[in-house]
């Protein structure tokens, strides 16, 4: 089975079940025009994030890694009028495009976009006593995913979901000789979850327009 066929199926699913409107099309066009790498989630994945958030009735969402705001738009569209999504982006050029894309989608009242490295922004968020978060989406620097998971677990409630993207990475997840910190981070994330009494998790492998990868979903039980 070829990558071209995976992409074709992604297009088929996207057109039927996760169609773009003006704001989503505009977000990707603005991202491309700004030279931002197209490493956002695919449309079916964005729709999945939206469905997960709606399924749990999420009112508070935390996102690590905004890029140009594509996943932010899918997630924020799941929120009620009094909901709030905090999204963290290290790269000011990405954040500038994201802010415009979020405003273009009419979501600026729901989205709190913070610019800086998440590691530097988290103490401020803690001081502001933000959270607990109903859903956390971990999609920033992959080596730091375990750190973000630990932070999110401490700021979740029973019933919260934590989703981490790009955890399989072409199957390198199980290549123990691979010392790439991004891969090691995904193994550490799995080991943390295996030992974590407060959460129940699984990982789903995916293929699609973005190649072969996967995501982890953890349900926080609070015990
Ligand atoms: C995979 S992209 C996010 C894609 C986005 N969630 C989407 O699907 O539309 C990762 C983003 O994380 C940002 N990033 C990298 N390191 C970071 C850090 N330490 N703190 C916050 N953001 C970071 C990158 O600049 C990049 O924009």
């Amino acid at each position: 089975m070829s990558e071209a066929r995976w992409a074709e199926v992604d297009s088929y699913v996207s057109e039927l079940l996760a169609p773009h409107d003006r704001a989503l099309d505009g977000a990707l066009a603005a991202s491309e025009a700004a030279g931002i790498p197209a490493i956002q989630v695919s449309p079916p994945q964005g729709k999945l994030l939206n469905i997960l958030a709606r399924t749990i009735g999420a009112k508070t969402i935390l996102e690590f890694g905004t890029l140009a705001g594509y996943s932010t738009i899918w997630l924020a569209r799941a929120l009620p009028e009094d909901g709030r999504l905090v999204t963290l982006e290290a790269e000011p050029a990405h954040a500038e495009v994201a802010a415009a894309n979020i405003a273009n989608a009419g979501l600026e009242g729901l989205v709190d976009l913070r610019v800086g490295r998440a590691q530097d922004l988290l103490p401020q968020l803690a001081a502001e006593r933000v959270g607990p978060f109903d859903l956390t989406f971990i999609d920033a620097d992959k080596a730091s995913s375990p750190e973000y998971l630990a932070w999110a677990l401490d700021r979740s409630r029973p019933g919260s979901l934590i989703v981490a993207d790009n955890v399989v990475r072409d199957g390198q997840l199980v290549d123990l000789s691979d010392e790439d910190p991004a891969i090691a981070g995904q193994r550490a994330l799995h080991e943390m979850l295996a030992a974590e009494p407060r959460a129940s998790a699984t990982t789903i492998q995916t293929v699609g327009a973005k190649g072969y990868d996967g995501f982890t979903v953890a349900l926080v039980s609070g015990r």
Side-chain angles (χ1 to χ4, degrees):
M1 195 66 62
S2 70
E3 291 208 19
R5 177 55 64 93
W6 301 344
E8 267 177 58
V9 173
D10 249 5
S11 295
Y12 173 84
V13 173
S14 304
E15 277 169 33
L16 286 179
L17 303 180
H20 272 186
D21 58 8
R22 186 191 51 79
L24 287 168
D25 268 341
L28 292 190
S31 180
E32 189 180 352
I36 293 174
I39 52 174
Q40 68 281 344
V41 295
S42 68
Q45 290 167 339
K47 180 75 177 281
L48 175 64
L49 290 171
N50 177 277
I51 288 172
L52 289 175
R54 285 190 284 149
T55 301
I56 60 167
K59 285 185 78 173
T60 52
I61 297 176
L62 173 63
E63 179 179 60
F64 290 89
T66 320
L67 194 68
Y70 183 77
S71 55
T72 316
I73 292 171
W74 278 109
L75 283 166
R77 284 181 168 173
L79 288 170
E81 274 177 19
D82 59 346
R84 184 183 188 206
L85 186 157
V86 178
T87 184
L88 312 178
E89 175 52 52
E91 185 57 59
H94 295 177
E96 191 181 331
V97 176
N101 286 338
I102 291 160
N104 191 40
L107 295 166
E108 66 275 30
L110 293 174
V111 176
D112 178 358
L113 169 58
R114 308 277 179 113
V115 187
R117 292 172 69 249
Q119 294 85 341
D120 301 330
L121 296 170
L122 292 178
Q124 177 64 32
L125 291 181
E128 292 172 25
R129 296 184 180 281
V130 297
F133 293 99
D134 301 322
L135 189 151
T136 299
F137 181 43
I138 300 174
D139 193 23
D141 51 321
K142 303 299 169 177
S144 303
S145 295
E147 184 186 340
Y148 302 153
L149 171 66
W151 204 89
L153 280 166
D154 287 344
R155 285 157 188 86
S156 294
R157 57 159 182 85
S160 291
L161 288 180
I162 301 173
V163 182
D165 199 15
N166 308 122
V167 301
V168 174
R169 311 187 74 80
D170 266 323
Q172 289 165 285
L173 177 64
V174 293
D175 181 356
L176 300 183
S177 66
D178 195 326
E179 290 172 4
D180 178 343
I183 309 294
Q186 303 323 308
R187 277 198 290 274
L189 177 131
H190 280 80
E191 285 154 21
M192 277 175 68
L193 284 168
E196 177 54 67
R198 293 171 293 174
S200 176
T202 192
T203 290
I204 299 298
Q205 301 184 72
T206 57
V207 294
K210 308 281 174 178
Y212 167 39
D213 212 322
F215 61 90
T216 298
V217 180
L219 173 65
V220 178
S221 64
R223 287 189 290 277

